[in-house]
Amino acid sequence: MSQMPQQAALSNCPSCAEPLESGDRFCGACGYDLSAAAASSPDAPALPLHDGAVPRPSAPPEGGAQGAVWPHASAPDGSGGPARPQRATDVPGTDSGGSALPTHEPPGAGVRLDRPAQPEEYPLQAPDPSQAPDPSQTPGPMQTPGPMQTPGPMQTPGPMQTPGPQRAADGAAGDGAAAVCVACRAGRVDGDGYCENCGHAQPRERDHVERESGPLAAVSDRGLRHHRNEDAFAMGDAPLPDGSPARVAIVCDGVSSATRPDEASLAASRAATDSLLAALPQGTHPRQAMHDAIVAAARAVDALAEEPATAREHSPHQNAPACTLVGAVVTAGLLVVGWVGDSRAYWVPDDRATPAARLTEDDSWAAQMVAAGLMTEAQAYADERAHAITGWLGADAYELEPHTASFKPDRPGVVVVCTDGLWNYAETAEEMAGVLPPDAAARPLHAARVLVGHALDGGGHDNVTVALLPFPAPPQGAGSA
């Protein structure tokens, strides 16, 4: 049932906030008439709070006028500024018990603005050198041999043996987090990738990867806009039946709209490279070997979609893992390229007076419009649908159509194999040749860094990956200068 509001007894003086005793009619500190405060209407509306701030009450209107605005009282010194509020302790007197009121605030009261500087509350402790790992016992990237790096009985060249195929460390290989933090250069990094000293998150192993294997080199970078690197590459070399070398590089670009694109690109690049390195020493024609390698890569990506039915129930609308692929094989006199999707291969002669050339055709909406004669190349690639791919590796692909082509260049040069994260900033063959350093054949890793840097300087909107293969393939054992 309804109840009438009860008038509450005053416990503090409304004027000076001095504690009151039951039955007091006047405040013993300031003489305020308590009966007037008790008689105020209990039905006065409460003031609303805005943004968590308590509103400042206005002065009472003069003569009963509503909404009157009152100026601040002038200071006693005539400065015109607002007067300092007067406190009960500013006036000599006695309290309700007869004791003298203090005429100044006790030491330490209120907020001090002259607080001495305090030491940092949570200082970072430097790591104990006695507990730091011994660098000589911590395997680094070049100390721990991987499965393809440990020479087997048939890989160690003997007096009558030929070196077997070798797959170089690919664009996703690594030995985990670095031993020392990249930020403070002092703390150790835990298993989750964070510094135990400063808490800084360490770069993931695929954020930036560089590899050099003899005359081959590749660089992959996350770019400036993506939260992870969904590109991958792999490369290696194998002897042909006549003993001459064959160099191989595969570059894959994960399809971001699919699930686990980084896994798709990694699986495809490794499967294609392993297939090529196994087929070429057996005498398989490089073009046929490239076709079979693309099929092997497609199967590897398809296998990623074979997950339990319960997993699909949680994400029924996700596409299967998918990626694009482009690869090249160079020998002493033959150049073979293969691709699915919109990753590309370019030919750049060492003699820059000779025109460069693009060796691949995109599986994309723009390329289809140009091929059908419906748009010029400039019009098609200016359309927002230009980069919609029409071919890819993955269980959701319409139909696998590996593209292969073979060439016999009549002069030395460099094959540039890259994702669209690079060629978006050097689309034509002439533009790519203009960015590639003239000494790319002699310094492939340096040249690959320059190309990736060009894409990052241009905006780095996508992951960037490029591999460089000098043509013709240098003799076995030859490397970059």
Side-chain angles (χ1 to χ4, degrees):
M1 61 181 178
S2 300
Q3 294 181 344
M4 295 296 292
Q6 301 295 321
Q7 180 173 322
L10 298 176
S11 58
N12 295 87
C13 174
S15 174
C16 66
E18 180 72 14
L20 302 175
E21 296 183 3
S22 178
D24 285 350
R25 297 179 58 190
F26 296 92
C27 176
C30 67
Y32 186 81
D33 187 356
L34 301 177
S35 60
S40 61
S41 173
D43 296 329
L47 293 174
L49 301 181
H50 300 283
D51 301 327
V54 179
R56 183 176 180 177
S58 60
E62 181 179 10
Q66 299 296 324
V69 178
W70 287 72
H72 291 290
S74 299
D77 58 3
S79 62
R84 180 179 64 85
Q86 190 179 44
R87 296 181 293 271
T89 54
D90 294 337
V91 181
T94 59
D95 60 16
S96 58
S99 301
L101 292 172
T103 58
H104 62 277
E105 295 183 1
V111 179
R112 292 192 56 181
L113 302 180
D114 59 344
R115 179 188 177 193
Q118 299 293 325
E120 186 178 0
E121 284 84 352
Y122 304 100
L124 295 177
Q125 299 295 330
D128 186 355
S130 63
Q131 299 180 0
D134 185 356
S136 63
Q137 299 178 357
T138 303
M142 302 304 294
Q143 293 175 325
T144 304
M148 302 303 298
Q149 296 172 330
T150 304
M154 301 302 295
Q155 293 177 330
T156 303
M160 301 299 294
Q161 293 177 333
T162 302
Q166 297 279 338
R167 174 160 69 85
D170 53 40
D175 296 314
V180 179
C181 173
V182 299
C184 68
R185 306 301 301 171
R188 295 177 299 175
V189 179
D190 61 20
D192 294 332
Y194 291 87
C195 176
E196 295 178 347
N197 178 47
C198 69
H200 190 88
Q202 306 300 296
R204 285 170 289 193
E205 58 184 357
R206 289 178 67 173
D207 282 357
H208 185 88
V209 185
E210 298 183 358
R211 296 288 183 268
E212 187 173 30
S213 177
L216 307 181
V219 176
S220 182
D221 191 273
R222 177 172 59 91
L224 305 179
R225 302 295 182 89
H226 283 242
H227 70 284
R228 65 179 175 183
N229 190 357
E230 297 171 354
D231 289 356
F233 67 81
M235 55 189 185
D237 57 81
L240 298 176
D242 62 358
S244 61
R247 313 289 185 182
V248 173
I250 298 291
V251 169
C252 295
D253 183 357
V255 178
S256 296
S257 59
T259 183
R260 293 147 55 202
D262 52 332
E263 296 181 27
S265 61
L266 177 59
S269 61
R270 288 178 171 175
T273 303
D274 290 344
S275 177
L276 283 167
L277 297 181
L280 292 173
Q282 297 177 4
T284 305
H285 191 280
R287 188 167 181 178
Q288 181 62 45
M290 177 63 74
H291 180 279
D292 297 341
I294 296 175
V295 173
R299 290 173 179 168
V301 178
D302 290 350
L304 297 177
E306 298 175 0
E307 51 192 10
T310 54
R312 275 290 185 181
E313 292 176 359
H314 296 293
S315 54
H317 303 294
Q318 284 189 333
N319 297 327
C323 68
T324 67
L325 180 147
V326 64
V329 176
V330 295
T331 67
L334 185 67
L335 163 60
V336 172
V337 296
W339 74 96
V340 173
D342 62 350
S343 294
R344 294 181 177 180
Y346 292 83
W347 162 253
V348 181
D350 289 346
D351 180 8
R352 298 303 168 84
T354 305
R358 198 177 94 193
L359 307 179
T360 59
E361 292 292 337
D362 298 342
D363 287 325
S364 67
W365 180 90
Q368 285 190 344
M369 294 298 102
V370 174
L374 301 177
M375 290 184 174
T376 64
E377 187 169 358
Q379 292 172 335
Y381 281 98
D383 194 282
E384 60 182 7
R385 298 165 290 182
H387 291 277
I389 58 176
T390 57
W392 62 88
L393 306 181
D396 291 343
Y398 302 124
E399 184 179 357
L400 178 63
E401 295 183 7
H403 308 294
T404 60
S406 58
F407 307 89
K408 292 184 177 181
D410 60 355
R411 64 200 67 206
V414 175
V415 182
V416 180
V417 182
C418 64
T419 62
D420 62 343
L422 171 59
W423 66 254
N424 277 332
Y425 301 96
E427 186 171 343
T428 67
E430 292 75 16
E431 291 173 334
M432 187 64 71
V435 178
L436 186 70
D439 59 350
R443 303 172 63 197
L445 181 57
H446 166 75
R449 291 170 176 166
V450 170
L451 293 178
V452 171
H454 174 75
L456 298 180
D457 291 342
H461 286 71
D462 200 357
N463 306 145
V464 189
T465 301
V466 60
L468 300 181
L469 304 87
F471 177 91
Q476 195 75 27
S480 60

